Amino acid sequence: MHIHVHGHAGEAKFWIEPQIEMAQNCGLSRSELRLVRRLIEEREDDIQQAWRKHFGG
């Protein structure tokens, strides 16, 4: 399971399972990546539920 995050200067891909981990970054700053990771950690359950609802499983 993964998500894509888009910002003004670029985008990144984060794996959500089996653990939160950045897979790819194209242009986001370190501070933006830290913020994104923190938000993913805070909302991990909501993200997983929405992902499963959208994609099934």
Side-chain angles (χ1 to χ4, degrees):
M1 178 182 298
H2 71 276
I3 60 170
H4 295 266
V5 179
H6 298 266
H8 294 290
E11 63 183 271
K13 175 182 174 181
F14 280 82
W15 291 107
I16 304 299
E17 289 184 344
Q19 62 189 18
I20 298 171
E21 182 178 359
M22 186 181 63
Q24 193 173 31
N25 175 35
C26 295
L28 296 182
S29 69
R30 288 183 188 173
S31 62
E32 289 172 313
L33 293 170
R34 282 192 301 272
L35 173 61
V36 168
R37 183 179 181 93
R38 182 174 54 82
L39 292 172
I40 293 170
E41 289 170 352
E42 290 174 0
R43 303 295 302 270
E44 183 177 4
D45 291 338
D46 296 330
I47 293 168
Q48 289 180 357
Q49 287 177 3
W51 195 96
R52 287 187 178 102
K53 184 177 179 180
H54 182 76
F55 293 105

